[in-house]
Amino acid sequence: MKLMKFLAISVISITASGCGVSQGTYNSGREMLRGSPAVRSQFVSNCVGTISRKPVTTRQALAKVMNTSLRSVPSVYCRRMTQGVASGRISHSDLNAGARGQVTPKVIRVLQGR
């Protein structure tokens, strides 16, 4: 159960708030991520900073789920989540589930690179 809580907290960081995101904001953000390498790069950079500041226990849990090293967690997490949103594999409802503390199977698959 702790692992799911850590994942949920981490998924929330991709939304930039714990309140979720509106469908319109998700759609606009997704299009920006899809169409602009500069926006994607800036988003990943901001995300890496956020994830790097998470407690080590959160990053350790993510490392286990993502099958990566602790050192790689911020960059791998942020690249996979950003690509997941941009590609549509992570939906509006997936992000809002994360904001409610629930991690969906789709998010787990994206984090695992599957």
Side-chain angles (χ1 to χ4, degrees):
M1 196 58 154
K2 277 186 175 181
L3 179 61
M4 293 305 284
K5 184 176 179 181
F6 288 141
L7 285 172
I9 290 167
S10 298
V11 169
I12 290 168
S13 72
I14 201 80
T15 66
S17 78
C19 301
V21 62
S22 72
Q23 182 70 53
T25 299
Y26 170 84
N27 291 341
S28 297
R30 180 172 174 247
E31 286 305 313
M32 284 188 284
L33 290 173
R34 283 181 57 185
S36 173
V39 169
R40 259 190 323 277
S41 178
Q42 183 64 49
F43 191 82
V44 169
S45 179
N46 291 342
C47 175
V48 165
T50 299
I51 298 301
S52 295
R53 290 186 300 274
K54 295 293 181 188
V56 70
T57 52
T58 300
R59 289 180 282 124
Q60 287 170 331
L62 284 169
K64 286 179 187 175
V65 170
M66 295 184 337
N67 303 307
T68 192
S69 70
L70 181 61
R71 183 177 182 187
S72 299
V73 165
S75 63
V76 171
Y77 172 88
C78 294
R79 280 187 282 116
R80 287 179 181 174
M81 287 295 289
T82 301
Q83 184 56 39
V85 171
S87 70
R89 290 188 62 208
I90 295 177
S91 68
H92 171 253
S93 62
D94 293 319
L95 288 182
N96 283 340
R100 293 188 306 274
Q102 303 164 345
V103 180
T104 66
K106 285 194 286 185
V107 170
I108 297 294
R109 284 190 294 275
V110 167
L111 287 176
Q112 291 179 335
R114 303 187 283 134

